[in-house]
Amino acid sequence: MQKKIFCHFCATPLINKYIEGRTRRFCTSCNSPIYENPIPASCLVVINEKDEVLLVKRSVEPQIGMWCLPGGFIELGETPYEAGLRELKEETGLSGKIDTLLGVSTHSNEQYYSVLITGFLIKQFSGSMNAGDDASDVSFFSKNKMPKIAFSTHESFINTYYSIYA
Ligand SMILES: [Zn+2]
């Protein structure tokens, strides 16, 4: 991750300062550390009646061209559920109803350093499937014919589904 150079409140150049157990970026004008945290995202394990998983082909970096679960970053004011359902609609055209939380995890990301990701199970959905937004293709895959998944956290949510809920 690129180091932050200026305070995003007052534009003062930041320094390093050891605060609360680690070296942090610090604004001497605001007299405040710039706290950095994982960025929250939601993804969906959507399962059809044949027990297949819905995947989208990524049309953006990172991992462009690889398959992953539909999902994306949580916007301000959204719950993780709402963000997941919005991303599902944007990327696949499907409207879904969340069944349960499959898990919560973090994975490293070049741009944001760390992404905190919630994985939800969806078994009830409607609408016609259309790849959109950050997806160039969308399809269901059976457990035995799964392509390589772009992110290990997504893979672990899929594995959680097959080992506990299938
Ligand atoms: Zn400042």
Side-chain angles (χ1 to χ4, degrees):
M1 184 179 65
Q2 236 182 332
K3 209 159 63 172
K4 292 190 173 69
I5 300 167
F6 299 106
C7 175
H8 49 270
F9 294 109
C10 73
T12 297
L14 299 172
I15 62 163
N16 282 337
K17 195 166 175 179
Y18 190 81
I19 294 169
E20 294 162 10
R22 64 168 73 198
T23 303
R24 303 173 192 273
R25 302 301 278 162
F26 186 86
C27 176
T28 52
S29 172
C30 296
N31 194 32
S32 175
I34 306 300
Y35 289 106
E36 294 175 298
N37 307 95
I39 305 293
S42 288
C43 71
L44 301 314
V45 176
V46 181
I47 302 291
N48 67 10
E49 68 287 346
K50 288 186 256 174
D51 222 23
E52 297 169 330
V53 179
L54 182 69
L55 298 178
V56 295
K57 197 173 202 176
R58 299 181 58 78
S59 64
V60 294
E61 292 291 359
Q63 310 285 29
I64 189 167
M66 286 186 77
W67 293 88
C68 72
L69 295 173
F73 292 110
I74 302 172
E75 300 278 7
L76 294 180
E78 280 184 331
T79 66
Y81 291 80
E82 289 164 347
L85 295 176
R86 174 183 52 75
E87 290 284 351
L88 178 67
K89 180 82 181 167
E90 286 173 5
E91 292 182 354
T92 72
L94 299 178
S95 300
K97 186 173 175 293
I98 285 172
D99 205 305
T100 191
L101 176 69
L102 286 171
V104 182
S105 188
T106 51
H107 69 231
S108 59
N109 175 289
E110 263 179 42
Q111 192 177 357
Y112 302 109
Y113 190 82
S114 178
V115 176
L116 179 138
I117 186 154
T118 52
F120 296 106
L121 174 62
I122 290 182
K123 295 188 91 169
Q124 298 171 61
F125 55 89
S126 59
S128 51
M129 230 160 62
N130 271 309
D133 201 30
D134 299 341
S136 61
D137 199 1
V138 53
S139 184
F140 280 97
F141 292 88
S142 67
K143 192 183 173 188
N144 303 328
K145 290 186 179 161
M146 199 82 61
K148 186 166 163 40
I149 307 293
F151 308 110
S152 61
T153 41
H154 289 199
E155 203 174 356
S156 76
F157 292 139
I158 295 169
N159 291 339
T160 299
Y161 168 72
Y162 282 119
S163 60
I164 297 175
Y165 294 92

